[in-house]
Structure formats: C-alpha cells, structure tokens
Amino acid sequence: MPPDAFSQILVSEGIVSAEQLAEAMRMASTSGKKVHDEVVRLGYVEAVKVMKVLAKAHRLKFVNLADISVPEEIVQLLPESVARENTIFPLSESGGTLRIATCDPTDMDAQEKLRFILNREIEMALAVREQIVESINRHYGLSDGESADSMLQEFTDTAIDFTETAVEQQAAAAQEDNSDAPVVKLVNLIITEAVQLRASDIHIEPFEDRVRIRYRIDGRLVERDNPPRRLLGAILSRIKILSRLDIAERRRPQDGRIKLTADGKDYDLRVSVLPTNHGQSVVMRILDKDNIRVGIRQLGLSEHDFRNFKTLIRRPNGIILVTGPTGSGKTTTLYASLNELNRPDTKIITAEDPVEYYLAGINQVEVRHNIGLDFARVIRAMLRQAPNVILVGEMRDTETAQMGIQASLTGHLVFSTLHTNDAPSAITRMIDMGVPAYLVASSIIAVVAQRLVRVNCVKCKQPFQPLDTAIETAGVTAEMLKGATFMKGRGCANCTKSGYKGRLGIFELMVMSGKIRELAFQGAPTQDIRRAACANGMRVMFDDGIQKVLRGITSFDEVFRVAKKVEA
C-alpha cells in the first residue's frame, strides 16, 4: 500500500472528514507526534478504530489485549525494561518467532533492535497503547522491578533525618531535579503508581506518628502506604517544587498544578495544600484527558433517555441543567455534550472555575474572582462574542442564574450544573435562589440528575444470587426477576481484588412538558413536579440503577450506596 494508505482509508471509509484529517496533520507537524495519535487526541475517532485502520494500512493484525490472556512463560521471553521502553508486549511464540503487540508500526528501528536483543524473529501486531501499558503493568508489576515497599524500605534504612527545619536546605538540592535522590524517586513512584491504578486523587495526610497515602480509585479511597513521619517535610518540598509553590509557606492554603508524562500520556495534576493540626495535607487531583473524550453513548444513559438527550442538545436555545453532588460525573456529561456539538459551524464558549480540561476547538474562559471576573461578568462578555452554545460551570447565585436564563432567552443553548439531589428539585432550587418562576418555567428545557456506580469487573464477574432482602428493598417484581441476570465480580488482578473496575452513570432525565412548566410557574412543591415528570415518562435515578443491576452491569450495593428509593 502507498505511504498515505492510512489517511486514504480514514477519509474513504468516512471515519474522519478531509478537514479533520488536515487538522490532525497540522497538529502532528507542530507537536512531532504521529497523525494517528493526533486524530485520537483531537477526539475525532476512538483509539480502537484508529488502530484497526492502521493495521489494515500496514497489513498487520489488530489485537484487542483486553480479550487475551498471555501465559507467564511467554511474558518472560521479553524483558520488562524493553517492554516498557518501547511500549510493546509479547503475545505468543511459535517456531522461534515471537509475536509482539506494538502501537507504532512505523518504528522500524525498534523492531530491528528487538531482533538483535532477543536473537529471534519478530512478528508485529497492532494494539491500543493504553491496553499495552495496562498489560505490562498487570503482568510485570507496577514499576521497573521496584515496589513501593522496597522504596520505603530504602528510606527507612537511610539514616537521613528529613525534619521540618531542614526542608529549605534540601529544597535547594531538589531544585536541581536530581532524579537519583530518594525523595524524588518516592514522589515519582507515588504519582506513577496512582496513574497506573486509574486513581482520580492522591491524598497525602500527616498524623502524629505517620504519613498516610491514599488513592481514590473508582470513587473509593484505598490506603496504599504509611511512610514514617520524618519523610513528610521532604515529600512536601518535592511536591511544592514540582507545582511551583512557596516551600517556606506553611500557614496558608496553597494551590498549584503539575504537568507530567507517564506511560506515554500527558497528565495534569491539580495540587491543593492545606495546613492541618499535624502538618500540611496534600491532595493531588489527576486530570486525564481521556476521561472527557467519552461520547454520550458511553455515559450510561438508557436507550430512551439517550435518544431524548441527543435531541435536546440540538435545540437552538434553552437551558439544560446537570445536577448531582461533587464527584458525580457532571463535568464528564457536559464535556461529552460539547464534544458532540463541537463542529466548525458552531461557536462554543465556556466559563469554568477552574478550567480543568482543555478542549480543542472550544473557547474556554477561567473565572478569576480575585480580579472581579466572576461567572455573571464572563457571561455578559461572552454574549458579545456571538456564540451558539454556552457552558456556565455552575449556577452559584441569583445573578449567574439570571444571566444564564437571559442568554437562553436571547437564542443561545446554555449548559450548566446545579447541586441538587434529583432532577425535580432543580426547579424549586432555581426559584429559591430568587429567579422569577416564570423565567425558570420558560427557559429550562431539561434537567439531568446523575450519580456514578462502580461497574462489575468484566474479567471476573460471574452469575450471582443476591439476598432476598436486597431484592425486596429494591422493589424488584417477580416479572422483572424472570429476565434478570445478576452478576458480581469475585476479585482478580485486573480489578485489584475489588470485583469492580470502572464507573458508569445512573440518570434521571426530566424533559420539561406543558404540565411541568405550569407547576413551575405556580411554584409547586418538588413532589408534585416529580409526579408530573414520572407521568411524562421520566424514570427516577434509583430505578435506572436497578435496571443496570438486572442486566448484570453493577450490584445492588452500589445502587443503594448512591441513590435512594423515592415515592412518586
């Protein structure tokens, strides 16, 4: 095939448009990355589909590593250091030829180097980079032959006393970024391990006699290590240097950012330092751009809600509210909607506090309260930019809510978030904030309430019979039980023995009808609005979760944890 076979297939099969391909090629020329990487990074197509096209263009086989189990004796044929350095993974061996998964078929130097190192013939297959990295971590371990325990042992055995008074002296040396320093290795290890375990947060908390390190994985905190208390000063200094914070400041809270590359991917860490009774506590929020590249289909909406939501976001004007507590996936839902609408003929502006993820093709404005640039002021300014779609990070006060409503009434589609427990409560909450009831009734077109539940691990889930009390509490009828497939993960290496891997949303989508608008205008209580919404076809969040349990996606425990049964 000609050298540009990959590009030809992408366009000829309608996977991307010629304009999208041209944009990816321009980005690749400036970033130095491959075109296939840029196509995925820009969110035009999923990584799996790109790899399949790349395999077709290079006449190679595509391998889905999620479906493959590789014996230990095959894994041992390829040294871990070689696998990590080149992002490759051994698949099988036959007649002296080792079959290897790679994500870059054009790297001929690496292939020749492999033949020389292994002294055998190499046959290449293509796989998604993330799956290769995950397979390496699963089969070889979490770091290059060195566990967190051995690293901590190195610290414990070292007679260096990292006291608070010695922090400034040690910081000067750390400024030089000596990667051999034990504290540098320890902090790098903590961050790298958290990334590999798919953690969303790293918590470093000081206590009287120890430092506790915890990762938040799939929404649940997992304790990982307890370094000795004397390491706290060194760990804090290193993190502050990486995030460009003042290492001498110990009395005030501080916020910073760290940019890093791990396993070939770029990550952004939002760092928060808070003085506590026993020292400064640090929380690092890991922002992975892949998290917001999901499409609306992957959010977890039921087929009925999915069709309704797709129609709603294509309305020319009105407000769509997404509600739920912190950490319920509201940002992901909003960004999935913006990704769906992000086309050359649509102008999108966002006002966020702060901008966590940067989206190509979208104008993002960061709210800065210290200079008076709040949500209401940003909205006023952005309306003069003639946008089609506006995202307001949060309806925090009356002024912001009224500005958002004015924007919707002047012909803009407005997305925003609100902190309420369910969808009907959003109407009464807006009115309680001081927005006139007639404006709420006329401007809001839909409210989405959501929570996140952990998903049963696909590797180890098996049929499961739940307790009768759980079935009774959930209100599952004998008719519903007939078609039910209850599943539960038994725990394996893939899900770190938890039985769950990944999360999915449970939703309730309230589409405004004439009856609901009338009730909103009258200032009716939430219960009346909920009854009208259910009569209009809304499925409450708890029932949506139970439907996912009946299909074996999650468990009763997860639904009971995040949602409660509501009497309509």
Side-chain angles (χ1 to χ4, degrees), residues 71 102 166 182-183 188 247 249 253-254 342 345 393 398 400 465 515 568:
T102 181
V183 67
N188 289 349
I247 59 170
E249 178 58 72
Q254 291 178 276
N342 189 11
D345 59 352
T398 309
T400 305
Q465 183 54 47
K515 177 64 176 172

Side-chain angles (χ1 to χ4, degrees), residues 318-421:
I319 294 180
I320 297 175
L321 290 174
V322 182
T323 79
T326 303
S328 60
K330 300 188 296 294
T331 301
T332 303
T333 300
L334 289 170
Y335 280 177
S337 306
L338 295 186
N339 283 333
E340 185 77 17
L341 299 171
N342 189 11
R343 301 189 181 283
D345 59 352
T346 305
K347 174 146 183 155
I348 302 172
I349 306 182
T350 73
E352 301 170 67
D353 182 21
V355 174
E356 292 188 349
Y357 299 98
Y358 298 100
L359 301 170
I362 292 177
N363 303 277
Q364 294 172 274
V365 181
E366 185 157 312
V367 169
R368 297 182 188 276
H369 297 288
N370 58 330
I371 59 168
L373 189 64
D374 54 15
F375 279 114
R377 193 165 177 182
V378 172
I379 296 168
R380 267 195 294 272
M382 65 168 60
L383 288 177
R384 293 193 284 273
Q385 298 268 315
N388 302 102
V389 179
I390 291 171
L391 167 67
V392 181
E394 187 184 337
M395 295 283 191
R396 287 187 180 173
D397 50 44
T398 309
E399 190 181 10
T400 305
Q402 287 187 332
M403 285 304 304
I405 285 173
Q406 292 299 330
S408 74
L409 293 174
T410 52
H412 304 86
L413 182 63
V414 179
F415 291 92
S416 191
T417 67
L418 204 61
H419 289 285
T420 62
N421 287 327

Side-chain angles (χ1 to χ4, degrees), residues 255-271:
D255 294 301
R257 285 185 102 116
I258 300 174
K259 288 186 183 296
L260 65 96
T261 302
D263 295 329
K265 285 173 63 179
D266 295 328
Y267 292 89
D268 221 357
L269 271 66
R270 217 170 74 209
V271 181

